[in-house]
């Protein structure tokens, strides 16, 4: 038979018999149709055994037909595209689909670990807390690895996910969650009223239960009605219909998370995260059926009655040859009718109720035997259900041969999303389940709100949609509710749970049985939240959808508390499991975070630049020349070139803030530790900022361009934090000061030109456009000038310790300016240098940087105590005087060099006295920055040493056990090259 | 010596046109930050009106005059678009005037596709009713700060201001998302 | 969580950074006695309910805001510019 | 009944009918020597060590909900002692040692699993900072290894080494780091404490602290007034408002931190891993779920749930470090309330109110501290003196400047 041997000859609301599809399961090639789910295609192919349970590795078949599925978890795809633990009931079948079962070895039919089931008495709930403690070392070596290997369901690929992902933001008046009758009506009502509506449905077809039931609406089959409603919605410009769209979470301020999957064969992202902000939502997620708890209720072939109806009506797939029904509600009987109508064989109907109405009895197919007040003592069969042992109200016991049992135990509304934000549920006696309450932010419609029947669903959906539209300002006339056939809603009846010797499963996926619950209660875990954590009930991929209410009933039964005083464990996002990659979107690999590139980037890339991350920026570390053996050779060359000739380095990444206004000098005096109001116009001053807590925040320069105009610089790493801090000072602390702040980091491309020939370079390049003679333009001068039509600024500042300048031009001509500079530089025998050479030179000069200004150091620690002005107050001044910050014995900045000049050491080494035994007490500080100094021919370092200032000349160990080093070093002043700074002033 | 080097370099790579979407870089536009001095917003408004013939927008809006447009980017803060910084000298008594022409890359996006594309990207409502012509938003696209301006209603037209150093990352995102 | 920035309009909270609880009067960081400075910087009422905090709209208008918010429900009652607030 | 393989087997054979409640669900008595407010890991551990180490007889743990509902039941279970600051190194290493013998001490398998913790780094500066930390650990007698890229690759071949925005340059490894079955810690301490006579009183929320003449004399609870010679507050994320009942204003903010767990898969990630270029850390539970998290949401909150931006940020970090987890699905995402402090470090101290003691301010890292916090807080409650290992966790340290700021963020709780 096309589409599988168990495929019915006709019917099937969503399958397309004209579109056959081939797929594989555990290597078997199978047929199905477009519009099938993987689960329905397996049913159509007569496959009942689809997986193994988590703990006992029991053979399992499909329990459900939708998101509630606990058993039918398969592995999809191959290689890096593998997707483990996928609910077969939610997989849209497509040509070439590769699927396989999991958690079994060597095969699904024969699984070695099924022995676990034999040991199940030992493996009762919580057994592992009581054992595996001796001998102590065996836990990590033996027990735990064994547990870890047998736990877990599927296997991850271990390879990078090849999929593409994307994100979308969307806004609407009304978000309707779920496209069953309630959701469709809500969307129609709100859409017709003119509201902006988004309808999100996780299935690939709209209709919900309408697709699975043989209802009539407006005189047509319910699935035809839903297709018509879908067409109307698709045609409305103010309505967006999202199919394959799982709403997974409700977040603050009307934000919802939705993962929309691509249709099979669709190009573009595999999944897209929609962040939907809505004025209000309609929750119309339906209800799911409850299984019945009895011994052996997990045999493959035992299903929910609603699932059987889905397979039969929606997919025209018959799940068994001899079907029995076990029901606590009227659904069982309806299911029998549907099976019979499809030509299936119903052998028996078992109703737990002692009496049923004659109308109901009349529904039973003629051949079906009826048992009232019935219970099942055992489900039988190994890899598939073969028979059940039944007793009825009169004690009549019988074994009935059956290969499919449909269970109908009442309904559980899917109200999870209503409590993501802390909403509450209330017990409905009518349906025997807790239901969520509507709020203006989220109206509950249909079965999700306990309005189980079709008529109620349609009406409550329309009402919710209208109310939501109205709340968004779209008034509309009441909507006509279509006439429909309807369900008989059975008032819920409690049923004592089966006390059977056989395992009676409550949580199928996690193998939690009724007995486990009783045991947990005995051990004191008698409330649902404790029960969950002790037994793992409800902690599987289905989050206990089919288990939670049965568990509560059993708990109530065992403890004697009314179940209505118990609440199911809390629901949390995601409502449906969502891929990590979908949450991450396109932000991965190289594009994990955007890159900031300075204007010189292309030049650097073309000239051997090797790049490194500096905060968000990419900066050249060095420029390799052909023939250079390693990076150190390159860096040594760059340093030596700068120290002897000239080099150019892009320093645009430093943060720059333009500050102006009548009060700017007063303001900067408060922000910096040193005086800025005394900086003459045309001069630059080095400055230090403290945090309010008195530790150093950042250092940089302040250049006074005019009486009321400064431009200040920050370090690359701290640019954002300093901007935020200065804005805080301006807006919150002293709004009365008239100061404007404009970040100009991106406006100015800025290049350092350093080395004894830097003036020559500028002279060659700028000629008489600006007088840069030492007299006219001394150290720390700043001047704006016209560089051939470009507004430029020249600063005489130096990080390298050489005669040096920084030139700034608008970044839009930054690339051209860099080329000009490099042209002139190369002509003088100079070179471009990168961050590594920059670092070497600043260590040679003893300038502090990020490794020293690490948020834990004071100005005095850094040797900058003198920069704390005594003449004025400034941010951080008071708290910097706290005893521990002002203590004299704090580690202070020193220079270090190896006693044996050929020796080496590294940043992060600690200082220990020679001969000292390593201990916290003996620890005297640490090395912060280390470099090989080509100028001196040996390693040099900066570090913080206890009482450092008083210990020059001492020898101490740089102890670095994590690198296996221990080097004797000498404490020297923290300036190795030109300590007097003579070169700056030439 | 002027070898044309004053000509600003583009910040973005080229964007081939897509159906319903044209993306072009606007190179060389003058962009100036104007910040009213404390208590001088009214005075600034008056000067702008007399000197430039434009009413400064309130809030995050764009108002365009003959040669200059103002875009609100914060309380008392605007980007003045179109005239070089020198032309804004009359404002200097009552405002800080800071040239930012080098700081930004500017894209114009036009067509129905622009609305869709940007609507996906920014977490603000771009519906006509909420973000009609003249609307401005400073916000983020994929970790990159942008100022988005709706310049025309039909066909939908936008300008996107992004600081230069991020332009290529933003371009990568655009290329990916435009498909 | 979305915050109605008085300048920019409603924005997702991730466009902002948060400094924490705001005092009733303008914070004073210079010229205050040590004990007061320590308390002002560190102590928090941190009530399980409505409170007022400093938020910075770094990815928008770069304004410091005072946001009135409930710590239990995350409900945002309103936001004002901090600069004119004290 | 003692727990052992033997008792388990015997009970299995007899249908598990004879197990007793793990702890007594006690009714409140009118008076105790010590009342501990908060039935989390710390409160229960404190009760246990008070009874065990100090022989205190009449002890009650008063819990507003059910024991273990707080952070002890919702943390990402990481234990480590890889700290930089000497005060922390000493304290957390002591805690690690207690973990290492905890099963035997409690007769409860809390599944202390020392499968290592690896902090990945991405730059030379980060390497030096980690080396500094690793050396500090080694100097203090704690295990630490510095791995290079290949060392990381050997352990975790599926990290993104080749294509990353922030390439992996190596990692700091603490082999003794790992995870512990979090709920079991609460239950194990509860059981052991209960066996020593401690009353564990659930569903009793402390709503007031009675202070007379500057001395705390009783707590008012929703189940009545309970007097006590000494009262210990150990309520984690709720420290501020419980302390407010005694008129105290503390340097603490409550924040939300989220955690995530995926569907269970076969063993993939052996130890604990933290990403150095974003906010992401991960381990795999014995059940097979990948348990991961990242930064706090950043704003004050008692809601115990987070929002999407941080969830996205965490997932981005995860995909940047290990794109092999892309198709694994998040099963559940929850939040907890943590009390953040200005320097990121905790308080175990007397309060200005006599007889009222405080254990709090654990930020997002107090689970690993549970045994040591219980031990040292018990010492403080029993003797009135700080335990030497917790002596640095003083309430006045922001006044003295003796801050314990591991990452140098300064006095802003949400940056730690
Ligand atoms: C998501 C998350 C991840 C974390 N990850 C880690 C990690 O990997 N490693 C780590 O070391 N730490 C981690 N932590 C932190 C750690 O969980 C906490 O620091 C620690 O558990 C706090 O101590 P506790 O166990 O006593 O707290 P809790 O378990 O929260 O105990 C406090 C108890 O006090 C009760 N209480 C509160 N108010 C009252 C009242 N008025 N009356 C009576 N009782 C009251 C509460 O109900 C609660 O049970 C994490 C925390 C979270 C939320
Ligand atoms: N006989 C009875 O007592 C009884 C009981 C229960 C249900 N029903 C029938 O069930 C139907 C109830 O209608 P309804 O509209 O309330 O429910 P429904 O089950 O028909 O529709 C719910 C829809 O929501 C979708 N959905 C669920 N969670 C989602 C999520 N997170 N994201 C996106 N989509 C999601 C589902 O896929 C489904 O299509 C009626 O047809 C009624 O006849 C009858
Ligand atoms: C280490 C760890 C592992 C967890 N594993 C699971 C799991 O496998 N399945 C599950 O549903 N929840 C799991 N949880 C989450 C809990 O179900 C629960 O969300 C958490 O304890 C917080 O409680 P709450 O959600 O009830 O507030 C886990 C929690 C932790 C801390
Ligand atoms: Zn704003």
């Amino acid at each position: 038979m096309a589409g599988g041997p168990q495929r019915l000859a006709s019917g099937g609301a969503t399958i397309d018999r004209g579109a056959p599809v081939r797929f594989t399961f555990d290597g078997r090639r199978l047929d199905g149709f477009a519009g099938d789910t993987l689960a329905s295609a397996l049913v159509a192919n007569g496959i009942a055994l689809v997986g193994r349970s988590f703990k006992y590795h029991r053979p399992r078949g499909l329990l459900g037909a939708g998101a509630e599925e606990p058993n039918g978890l398969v592995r999809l795809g191959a290689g890096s595209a593998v997707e483990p633990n996928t609910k077969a009931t939610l997989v849209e079948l497509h040509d070439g689909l590769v699927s396989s079962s999991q958690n079994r070895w060597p095969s699904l039919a024969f699984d070695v670990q099924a022995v676990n089931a034999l040991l199940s008495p030992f493996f009762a709930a919580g057994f592992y807390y009581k054992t595996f403690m001796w001998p102590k070392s065996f836990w990590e070596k033996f027990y735990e690895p064994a547990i870890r290997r047998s736990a877990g369901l599927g296997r991850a690929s271990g390879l990078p996910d090849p999929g593409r992902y994307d994100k979308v933001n969307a806004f609407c008046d009304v978000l309707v969650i779920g496209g069953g009758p309630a959701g469709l009506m809500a969307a129609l009502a709100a859409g017709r009223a003119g509201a902006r509506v988004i309808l999100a449905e996780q299935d690939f077809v709209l209709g919900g239960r309408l697709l699975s039931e043989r209802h009539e609406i407006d005189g047509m089959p319910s699935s035809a009605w839903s297709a018509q409603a879908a067409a109307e919605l698709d045609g409305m410009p103010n309505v967006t219909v999202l199919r394959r769209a799982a709403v997974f979470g409700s977040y603050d301020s009307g934000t919802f998370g939705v993962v929309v999957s691509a249709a099979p064969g669709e190009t573009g992202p595999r999944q897209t995260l929609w962040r939907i902000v809505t004025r209000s939502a309609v929750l119309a997620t339906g209800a799911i059926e409850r299984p019945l708890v009895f011994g052996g209720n997990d045999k493959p072939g035992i299903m929910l009655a609603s699932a059987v109806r889905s397979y039969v009506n929606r997919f025209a797939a018959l799940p068994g040859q001899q079907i029995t029904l076990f029901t606590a509600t009227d659904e069982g009987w309806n299911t029998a009718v549907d099976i019979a109508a499809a030509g299936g064989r119903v052998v028996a109907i078992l109703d737990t109720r002692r009496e049923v109405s004659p109308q109901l009895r009349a529904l039973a197919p003629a051949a079906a035997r009826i048992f009232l007040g019935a219970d099942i003592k055992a489900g039988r069969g190994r890899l598939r259900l073969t028979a059940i042992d039944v007793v009825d109200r009169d004690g009549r016991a019988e074994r009935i041969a059956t290969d499919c049992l449909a269970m109908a135990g009442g309904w559980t509304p899917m109200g999870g999303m209503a409590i993501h934000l802390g909403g509450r549920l209330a017990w409905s006696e009518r349906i025997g389940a807790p239901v969520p309450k509507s709020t203006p932010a989220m109206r509950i419609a249909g079965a999700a709100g306990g309005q189980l029947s079709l008529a109620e669903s349609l009406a409550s959906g329309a009402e919710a949609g209208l109310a939501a539209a109205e709340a968004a300002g779209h008034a509309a006339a009441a909507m006509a509710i279509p006439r429909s056939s309807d369900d008989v809603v059975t008032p819920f009846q409690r049923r004592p749970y089966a006390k059977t010797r056989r395992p009676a499963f409550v949580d199928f996926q996690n193998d939690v049985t009724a007995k486990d619950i009783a045991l947990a209660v005995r051990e004191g875990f008698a409330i649902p939240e404790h029960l969950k954590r002790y037994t793992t009930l409800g902690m599987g991929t289905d989050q206990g959808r089919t288990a939670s209410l049965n568990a509560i009933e059993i708990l109530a039964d065992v403890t004697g508390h009314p179940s209505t005083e118990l609440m199911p464990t809390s629901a949390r996002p995601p409502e449906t499991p969502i891929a990590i990659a979908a949450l991450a979107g396109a932000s991965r690999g190289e594009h994990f975070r955007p890159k900031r590139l300075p204007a010189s980037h292309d030049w650097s890339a073309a000239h051997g630049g090797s790049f490194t991350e500096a905060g968000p920026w990419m900066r050249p570390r060095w420029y390799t020349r052909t023939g250079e053996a390693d990076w150190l050779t390159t860096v040594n060359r760059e340093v030596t070139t700068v120290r002897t000739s000239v080099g150019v380095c892009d320093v645009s990444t430093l943060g720059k803030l333009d500050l102006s206004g009548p009060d700017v000098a007063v303001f900067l005096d408060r922000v910096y530790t040193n005086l800025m109001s005394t900086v003459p116009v045309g001069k630059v001053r080095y400055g230090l900022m403290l945090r309010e807590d008195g530790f150093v925040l950042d250092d940089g320069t302040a250049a006074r361009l005019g009486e009321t105009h400064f431009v200040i610089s920050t370090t690359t790493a701290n640019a954002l934090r300093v901007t935020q801090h200065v804005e805080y000072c301006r807006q919150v602390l002293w709004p009365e000061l008239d100061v404007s702040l404009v970040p100009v980091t991106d406006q100015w491309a800025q290049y350092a030109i350093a080395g004894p020939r830097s003036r020559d370079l500028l002279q060659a390049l700028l000629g008489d456009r600006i007088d840069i003679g030492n007299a006219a333009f001394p150290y720390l001068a700043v001047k704006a000038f016209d560089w051939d039509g470009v507004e430029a600024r020249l600063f005489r500042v130096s990080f390298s310790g050489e005669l040096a300048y920084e030139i700034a031009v608008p970044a839009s001509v930054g690339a051209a300016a860099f080329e000009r500079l490099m042209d002139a530089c190369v002509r003088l025998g100079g070179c471009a240098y990168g961050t590594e050479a920059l670092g070497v030179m600043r260590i040679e000069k003893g300038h502090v940087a990020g490794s020293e200004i690490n948020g834990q150091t004071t100005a005095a620690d850094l040797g900058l105590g003198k920069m704390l002005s005594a003449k004025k107050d400034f941010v951080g001044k008071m708290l910097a005087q706290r005893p521990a910050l002002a203590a004299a014995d704090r580690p202070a900045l020193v220079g270090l060099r190896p006693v044996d000049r050929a020796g080496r050491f590294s940043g992060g080494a600690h200082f220990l006295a020679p001969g000292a035994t390593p201990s916290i007490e003996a620890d005297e500080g640490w090395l912060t920055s280390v470099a090989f100094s080509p100028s001196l021919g040996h390693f040099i370092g900066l570090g913080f040493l206890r009482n450092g200032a008083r210990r020059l000349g001492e020898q101490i160990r740089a102890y670095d056990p994590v690198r296996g080093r221990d080097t004797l070093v000498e404490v020297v002043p923290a300036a190795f090259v030109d300590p007097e700074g003579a070169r700056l002033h030439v | 010596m002027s070898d044309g080097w004053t000509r600003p370099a583009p910040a973005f790579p080229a964007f081939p046109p897509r159906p319903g979407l044209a993306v072009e870089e606007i190179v060389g536009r003058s962009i100036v930050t104007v910040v009213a001095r404390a208590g001088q917003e009214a005075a600034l408004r008056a000067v702008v009106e007399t000197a430039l013939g434009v009413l400064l927008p309130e809030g995050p809006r764009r108002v365009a005059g003959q040669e200059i447009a103002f875009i609100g980017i914060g309380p008392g803060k605007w980007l003045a678009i179109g005239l070089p910084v020198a032309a804004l000298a009359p404002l200097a008594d009552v405002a800080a005037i800071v040239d930012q022409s080098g700081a930004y890359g500017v894209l114009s996006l036009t067509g129905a596709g622009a609305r869709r594309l940007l609507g996906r990207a920014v977490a603000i409502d771009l519906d006509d009713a909420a973000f009609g012509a003249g609307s401005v938003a400073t916000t983020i696209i994929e970790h990159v700060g942008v100022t988005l301006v709706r310049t025309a209603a039909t066909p939908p037209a936008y300008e996107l201001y992004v600081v230069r150093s991020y332009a290529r990352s933003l371009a990568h995102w655009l290329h990916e998302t435009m498909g | 969580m979305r915050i109605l920035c008085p300048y920019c309009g409603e924005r997702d909270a991730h466009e902002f950074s948060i400094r924490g609880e705001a005092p009733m009067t303008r914070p004073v960081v210079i010229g205050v006695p040590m004990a007061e400075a320590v308390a002002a910087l560190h102590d928090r009422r941190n009530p399980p309910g409505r409170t007022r905090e400093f938020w910075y709209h770094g990815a928008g208008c770069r304004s410091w805001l005072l946001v009135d918010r409930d710590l239990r429900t995350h409900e945002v009652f309103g936001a004002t510019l901090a600069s004119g607030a004290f | 009944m003692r727990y052992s393989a033997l008792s388990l087997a015997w009970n299995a054979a007899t249908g598990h009918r004879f197990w007793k409640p793990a702890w007594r669900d006690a009714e409140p008595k009118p008076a105790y020597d010590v009342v501990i407010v908060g039935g989390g890991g710390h409160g229960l551990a404190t009760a246990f060590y008070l009874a065990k180490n100090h022989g205190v007889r009449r002890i009650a743990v008063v819990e507003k909900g059910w024991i273990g509902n707080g952070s002890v039941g919702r943390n990402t279970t990481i234990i480590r002692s890889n700290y930089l600051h000497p005060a922390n190194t000493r304290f957390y290493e002591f805690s690690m040692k207690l973990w290492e013998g905890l099963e035997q001490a409690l007769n409860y398998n809390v599944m202390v699993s020392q499968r290592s913790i690896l902090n990945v780094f991405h730059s030379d500066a980060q390497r030096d900072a980690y080396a500094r930390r690793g050396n500090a650990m080694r100097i203090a007698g704690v295990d630490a290894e510095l791995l290079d890229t290949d060392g990381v690759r050997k352990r975790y071949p599926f990290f993104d080494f080749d294509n990353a925005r922030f390439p992996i340059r190596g990692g700091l490894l603490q082999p003794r780091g790992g995870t512990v079955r979090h709920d079991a810690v609460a239950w194990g301490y509860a059981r052991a404490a209960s066996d020593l006579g401690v009353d564990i009183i659930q569903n009793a929320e402390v709503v007031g602290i009675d202070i007379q003449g500057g001395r705390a004399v009783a707590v008012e609870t929703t189940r009545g007034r309970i007097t006590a010679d000494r009262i210990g507050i150990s309520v984690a994320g709720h420290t501020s408002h419980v302390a407010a009942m005694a008129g105290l204003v503390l340097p603490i903010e409550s924040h939300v931190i989220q955690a995530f767990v995926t569907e269970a898969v076969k063993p993939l990630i052996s130890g604990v891993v933290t990403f150095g270029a974003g906010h992401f850390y991960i381990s795999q539970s014995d059940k097979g779920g990948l348990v991961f998290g990242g930064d706090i949401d950043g704003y004050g909150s008692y809601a115990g749930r987070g929002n999407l931006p941080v969830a996205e940020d965490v997932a981005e970090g995860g995909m940047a470090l290990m794109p092999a987890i892309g198709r694994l699905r998040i099963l559940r995402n929850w939040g907890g309330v943590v009390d953040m402090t200005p320097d990121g470090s905790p308080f175990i101290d007397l309060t200005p109110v006599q007889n009222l003691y405080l254990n709090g301010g654990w930020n997002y890292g107090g689970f690993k501290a549970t045994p040591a916090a219980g031990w040292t807080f018990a010492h403080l409650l029993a003797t009135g003196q700080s335990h030497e290992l917790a002596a640095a966790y003083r309430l006045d340290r922001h006044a003295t400047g003796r801050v314990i700021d591991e990452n140098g963020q300064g006095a802003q709780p949400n940056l730690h």
Side-chain angles (χ1 to χ4, degrees), chain D residues 388-395:
Chain D
E388 58 166 341
L389 288 174
Y393 298 150
R394 296 283 306 267
L395 267 170

PDB file of all heavy atoms in Angstrom, chain D residues 388-395:
ATOM      1  N   GLU D 388      38.619  31.839  61.791  1.00  0.00           N
ATOM      2  CA  GLU D 388      39.748  32.505  61.127  1.00  0.00           C
ATOM      3  C   GLU D 388      39.645  32.430  59.606  1.00  0.00           C
ATOM      4  O   GLU D 388      40.113  33.325  58.895  1.00  0.00           O
ATOM      5  CB  GLU D 388      41.080  31.920  61.609  1.00  0.00           C
ATOM      6  CG  GLU D 388      41.185  30.427  61.366  1.00  0.00           C
ATOM      7  CD  GLU D 388      42.608  29.894  61.528  1.00  0.00           C
ATOM      8  OE1 GLU D 388      43.547  30.705  61.470  1.00  0.00           O
ATOM      9  OE2 GLU D 388      42.755  28.674  61.714  1.00  0.00           O
ATOM     10  N   LEU D 389      39.031  31.387  59.098  1.00  0.00           N
ATOM     11  CA  LEU D 389      38.947  31.271  57.638  1.00  0.00           C
ATOM     12  C   LEU D 389      37.887  32.198  57.039  1.00  0.00           C
ATOM     13  O   LEU D 389      37.844  32.401  55.837  1.00  0.00           O
ATOM     14  CB  LEU D 389      38.625  29.823  57.256  1.00  0.00           C
ATOM     15  CG  LEU D 389      39.772  28.848  57.456  1.00  0.00           C
ATOM     16  CD1 LEU D 389      39.299  27.435  57.193  1.00  0.00           C
ATOM     17  CD2 LEU D 389      40.936  29.197  56.533  1.00  0.00           C
ATOM     18  N   ALA D 390      37.033  32.724  57.880  1.00  0.00           N
ATOM     19  CA  ALA D 390      35.994  33.620  57.365  1.00  0.00           C
ATOM     20  C   ALA D 390      36.165  35.027  57.904  1.00  0.00           C
ATOM     21  O   ALA D 390      35.289  35.868  57.732  1.00  0.00           O
ATOM     22  CB  ALA D 390      34.614  33.071  57.742  1.00  0.00           C
ATOM     23  N   ALA D 391      37.303  35.268  58.524  1.00  0.00           N
ATOM     24  CA  ALA D 391      37.488  36.549  59.217  1.00  0.00           C
ATOM     25  C   ALA D 391      37.517  37.731  58.260  1.00  0.00           C
ATOM     26  O   ALA D 391      37.315  38.872  58.662  1.00  0.00           O
ATOM     27  CB  ALA D 391      38.767  36.507  60.051  1.00  0.00           C
ATOM     28  N   ALA D 392      37.785  37.457  56.986  1.00  0.00           N
ATOM     29  CA  ALA D 392      37.856  38.574  56.032  1.00  0.00           C
ATOM     30  C   ALA D 392      36.474  38.989  55.541  1.00  0.00           C
ATOM     31  O   ALA D 392      36.324  40.054  54.950  1.00  0.00           O
ATOM     32  CB  ALA D 392      38.717  38.177  54.840  1.00  0.00           C
ATOM     33  N   TYR D 393      35.499  38.134  55.783  1.00  0.00           N
ATOM     34  CA  TYR D 393      34.170  38.418  55.230  1.00  0.00           C
ATOM     35  C   TYR D 393      33.374  39.326  56.156  1.00  0.00           C
ATOM     36  O   TYR D 393      32.256  39.015  56.566  1.00  0.00           O
ATOM     37  CB  TYR D 393      33.429  37.104  54.951  1.00  0.00           C
ATOM     38  CG  TYR D 393      34.118  36.224  53.922  1.00  0.00           C
ATOM     39  CD1 TYR D 393      34.009  34.835  53.962  1.00  0.00           C
ATOM     40  CD2 TYR D 393      34.879  36.792  52.899  1.00  0.00           C
ATOM     41  CE1 TYR D 393      34.637  34.032  53.008  1.00  0.00           C
ATOM     42  CE2 TYR D 393      35.511  35.991  51.941  1.00  0.00           C
ATOM     43  CZ  TYR D 393      35.388  34.614  52.008  1.00  0.00           C
ATOM     44  OH  TYR D 393      36.001  33.823  51.068  1.00  0.00           O
ATOM     45  N   ARG D 394      34.002  40.441  56.512  1.00  0.00           N
ATOM     46  CA  ARG D 394      33.424  41.367  57.484  1.00  0.00           C
ATOM     47  C   ARG D 394      32.461  42.341  56.822  1.00  0.00           C
ATOM     48  O   ARG D 394      32.661  42.768  55.690  1.00  0.00           O
ATOM     49  CB  ARG D 394      34.552  42.168  58.141  1.00  0.00           C
ATOM     50  CG  ARG D 394      35.532  41.320  58.954  1.00  0.00           C
ATOM     51  CD  ARG D 394      34.919  40.942  60.280  1.00  0.00           C
ATOM     52  NE  ARG D 394      34.457  42.135  60.985  1.00  0.00           N
ATOM     53  CZ  ARG D 394      35.188  42.797  61.870  1.00  0.00           C
ATOM     54  NH1 ARG D 394      36.400  42.394  62.173  1.00  0.00           N
ATOM     55  NH2 ARG D 394      34.697  43.871  62.472  1.00  0.00           N
ATOM     56  N   LEU D 395      31.463  42.741  57.598  1.00  0.00           N
ATOM     57  CA  LEU D 395      30.511  43.740  57.087  1.00  0.00           C
ATOM     58  C   LEU D 395      31.120  45.126  56.961  1.00  0.00           C
ATOM     59  O   LEU D 395      30.627  45.956  56.210  1.00  0.00           O
ATOM     60  CB  LEU D 395      29.297  43.820  58.025  1.00  0.00           C
ATOM     61  CG  LEU D 395      28.111  42.935  57.666  1.00  0.00           C
ATOM     62  CD1 LEU D 395      27.103  42.937  58.801  1.00  0.00           C
ATOM     63  CD2 LEU D 395      27.446  43.397  56.375  1.00  0.00           C
TER      64      LEU D 395
END
